[in-house]
Amino acid sequence: MRKAFAVARKEFRQIARDRRTLMILLFVPAFYLMLYGYALNWDIRHVRLGVEDQDHTPESRSVVSAFVNSGYFDLVASVDDTRITELMNTNEVRAVLVMPSGFGRSLRTGARAPMQVLVNGDNANTATTVMGYALTILQSESAHYRSGQSTPLLSVQPRVWYNAELRSTLFLVPGLIAYISMITAVISTALSIVREKERGTMEQVRMAPLGAPAFVVGKTIPYFLISLASAVGIILVAMMLFGVPMRGSWWLLLAALSLFLVGALGLGLLISSVSDNQQVAFQLAMLASFLPTFMLSGFIFPISSMPAFLRAVTYLVPARYFLVALRAIVLKGAGAAAFWEDLAALAIFAALVLALASVRLRREWA
Amino acid sequence: MNAIVVSDLTRRFGQFVAVDHLTFDVRQGEIFGFLGANGAGKSTTIRMLCGLLKPTSGTASVGGVDVSRDPEGVKRRIGYMSQRFSLYERLTVDQNIRFFGGIYGLDQAHLNRRRRFVLEMAGLEGRERTRASELAGGWRQRLALGCAILHEPPIVFLDEPTGGVDPLSRRRFWDLIDQLSASGVTVLVTTHYLDEAEHCHRIAIIHAGRLAALGSTDELKHMLADRSIVEIHASNPVEAMRLLDRMPEVEKTSVFGTTVHAVLRADRAIPTDALKSRLVDGGVPVAGIGPVQPSLEDVFLEVAERA
């Protein structure tokens, strides 16, 4: 154990000497989070809205202002019938409200007041979202009028849990935390052993009576502490910049994060032990961390809608388990009982890759 | 007493036989040179003796420990330094020493004592906080040696330890090796500098994985005692060599800078004067000619060619 500690201290000193790598490990992840967090955003804002108001009553104007005040729509044009097609075609507007004459009167008398919302459907995703916004706004608008009625009409009141505004950042940012931590942890360790092979120091170390497990443990400790600091950093950034809440226990979060990171570091060491040079190690590390974590973890694409065989593959992706735990802790404030299986899976993954890395190194060792 | 006992040691890589039934002993306190061309099997042998590589067949014991059965036990008894002077470049002199002390499991008091010894030996006192990358070759080499012997191993393996080092540092390095040997440490060193081989008590010449010759430098030179070697100083050594090669009395020739060594056949003696006049007749002016003692290089070339 003292020997493992000697390896860890050496590794720390090496990293500390290499300011650039240290900066990359500590701060680039937070920078990435900002970059991705702002760019990868499915919330649609500033939808250019056209209004065709044939009614010109306080009621019709109230609908328009409800749209504008929602923050999702920018009123860019008041149009008449003939210009709608042209404006939609040229993308000047992406949604149009049409209120026929008599609209206000119908509302005042409590009769059905038909109106039309046109949405540009060239991007189905966006269109669905915009439609969702529009319907929500209209629903709350019509609630004003119903409230005055003696017989309240039955109305659907959808309520969304955990993300009441259905903000996609709340869904995406935990995924980004997992994704960025995974990549930095895997890549930094993947390069660490192979660098020693390239420099020849590996051979020198192998000549010492130092077992492969002690070497692996010594290599893991510093990268673990650094990647933990970096991951906590991006979680804090996520909370400050993207309003990600913290509804659960920090200790639980640290536990889940630690298990996840140890697995990621083990994977990196395993890659390092099978690679002969830094290029190969880097490519393997990208392949093993980047794609699976992005595609197969439930970060963006729901696992439940994948074909069976891909679903089977996701069981090998540690981020899958970590995401369940992370979202449960941060968004739901759930206790460990809700996701203990995922924590167990993370622990198993970590133990497995570390053991494999040790075995693999030991075979090379002697 | 023998520090290293090697018997029929063999290592194959697939079809390729890197080391082919090597047998030799190294006595305690001896400086034992391993001579051979690149790829002759020197490094493979060292790696087996250090417990890094399992022999395909045969046995070797180092410090009384069988390398196949207890490679970790071997590692505790040996020091190893490679041609790459494998230090951590970003760490300071002191940090390198402390790291290697750490992985050899030295306790604090022992480490402090050895640290002072290594700093003094390498001439690095006062430069403890210098980064290894900033040291010149000779200092790095001595520091690497120091790190390799921190744990006071009775046996030290040096794999081409003087590559890329200036002659003065090489000299100083060999003085250190002599001191180690004098204190009872066994040193097995590979090299392809033949002048360095002269420092060794005994030399094994390895060719194509086999032991081609073994003995002290004098004994090895004696192998060529039955043949006389003539050294010719010629302004055009290549042309001289071409002429010599066509003479029936000459077994072989080799160029050493501006001189040519001609090994004469034992059964067909020819006076050097006759040789000289033949060369001059052939159009090659000869500045000097005379018999010489065989050098280690002559032996090496002879052995390599015969094997």
Side-chain angles (χ1 to χ4, degrees), chain B residues 141-170:
Chain B
Q141 175 199 39
R142 289 192 292 274
L143 177 59
L145 177 68
C147 289
I149 60 170
L150 264 179
H151 55 302
E152 299 176 83
I155 299 163
V156 177
F157 292 92
L158 306 172
D159 194 359
E160 289 175 19
T162 53
V165 166
D166 63 89
L168 206 65
S169 297
R170 259 169 75 183

Side-chain angles (χ1 to χ4, degrees), chain B residues 272-295:
Chain B
T272 49
D273 286 348
L275 204 61
K276 180 179 177 180
S277 51
R278 265 202 242 170
L279 283 169
V280 173
D281 292 347
V284 176
V286 174
I289 186 165
V292 288
Q293 285 295 307
S295 70

Side-chain angles (χ1 to χ4, degrees), chain A residues 17 196 198 203-204 206, chain B residues 47 80 84 88 90:
Chain A
R17 273 287 151 70
E196 298 218 16
E198 282 184 355
E203 193 177 42
Q204 196 69 47
R206 279 165 63 205
Chain B
R47 290 161 69 82
Y80 168 83
R84 303 172 73 171
Y88 290 94
R90 277 189 209 131

Side-chain angles (χ1 to χ4, degrees), chain A residues 193-204 206 276-278, chain B residues 43 47 80-89 96 100 132-133 136-137 139-145 157-165 190:
Chain A
I193 290 180
V194 82
R195 195 158 42 211
E196 298 218 16
K197 284 196 218 172
E198 282 184 355
R199 299 257 166 87
T201 47
M202 185 73 184
E203 193 177 42
Q204 196 69 47
R206 279 165 63 205
D276 286 327
N277 61 57
Q278 295 196 51
Chain B
S43 290
R47 290 161 69 82
Y80 168 83
M81 177 193 155
S82 78
Q83 53 203 344
R84 303 172 73 171
F85 316 151
S86 309
L87 298 162
Y88 290 94
E89 308 223 322
N96 267 292
F100 284 106
S133 58
W139 274 281
R140 296 187 46 183
Q141 175 199 39
R142 289 192 292 274
L143 177 59
L145 177 68
F157 292 92
L158 306 172
D159 194 359
E160 289 175 19
T162 53
V165 166
T190 74

Side-chain angles (χ1 to χ4, degrees), chain A residues 87-102:
Chain A
L87 288 174
M88 289 286 264
N89 280 347
T90 54
N91 259 341
E92 301 259 319
V93 299
R94 298 201 46 96
V96 179
L97 295 180
V98 183
M99 283 158 292
S101 56

Side-chain angles (χ1 to χ4, degrees), chain B residues 63-276:
Chain B
V65 178
D66 187 297
V67 295
S68 314
R69 249 176 271 155
D70 186 10
E72 291 302 307
V74 168
K75 286 178 185 174
R76 275 193 293 276
R77 289 168 173 78
I78 61 159
Y80 168 83
M81 177 193 155
S82 78
Q83 53 203 344
R84 303 172 73 171
F85 316 151
S86 309
L87 298 162
Y88 290 94
E89 308 223 322
R90 277 189 209 131
L91 301 187
T92 64
V93 168
D94 205 36
Q95 287 169 345
N96 267 292
I97 294 174
R98 289 187 184 282
F99 169 66
F100 284 106
I103 61 172
Y104 277 102
L106 266 53
D107 63 49
Q108 203 58 46
H110 192 182
L111 179 63
N112 283 335
R113 187 166 59 75
R114 292 298 290 170
R115 178 178 157 270
R116 279 196 300 277
F117 166 80
V118 168
L119 288 172
E120 189 198 348
M121 180 201 86
L124 284 168
E125 289 147 311
R127 301 189 64 187
E128 291 89 343
R129 310 185 115 236
T130 308
R131 286 198 201 185
S133 58
E134 289 163 12
L135 296 176
W139 274 281
R140 296 187 46 183
Q141 175 199 39
R142 289 192 292 274
L143 177 59
L145 177 68
C147 289
I149 60 170
L150 264 179
H151 55 302
E152 299 176 83
I155 299 163
V156 177
F157 292 92
L158 306 172
D159 194 359
E160 289 175 19
T162 53
V165 166
D166 63 89
L168 206 65
S169 297
R170 259 169 75 183
R171 179 82 229 170
R172 208 171 149 190
F173 187 77
W174 276 98
D175 288 345
L176 290 175
I177 305 291
D178 286 337
Q179 283 170 30
L180 278 177
S181 163
S183 69
V185 174
T186 308
V187 179
L188 191 153
V189 53
T190 74
T191 180
H192 39 223
Y193 291 113
L194 292 147
D195 60 320
E196 286 188 347
E198 307 268 0
H199 285 268
C200 300
H201 297 126
R202 282 194 305 152
I203 296 159
I205 298 180
I206 310 288
H207 184 77
R210 297 214 188 107
L211 187 64
L214 174 66
S216 67
T217 48
D218 285 342
E219 283 165 354
L220 289 180
K221 287 173 186 172
H222 213 73
M223 288 170 59
L224 294 181
D226 58 333
R227 269 159 299 176
S228 42
I229 296 176
V230 179
E231 189 176 70
I232 298 127
H233 293 269
S235 54
N236 189 348
V238 179
E239 182 60 20
M241 198 169 143
R242 204 175 56 79
L243 282 174
L244 288 163
D245 276 335
R246 281 195 301 211
M247 299 179 193
E249 294 84 357
V250 174
E251 186 180 324
K252 68 179 172 74
T253 53
S254 41
V255 178
F256 294 81
T258 60
T259 69
V260 180
H261 280 196
V263 180
L264 304 183
R265 285 190 200 283
D267 51 343
R268 307 179 73 162
I270 176 170
T272 49
D273 286 348
L275 204 61
K276 180 179 177 180

Side-chain angles (χ1 to χ4, degrees), chain B residues 47-64:
Chain B
R47 290 161 69 82
M48 283 193 282
L49 294 182
C50 293
L52 278 197
L53 196 63
K54 284 235 184 298
T56 311
S57 66
T59 58
S61 87
V62 171

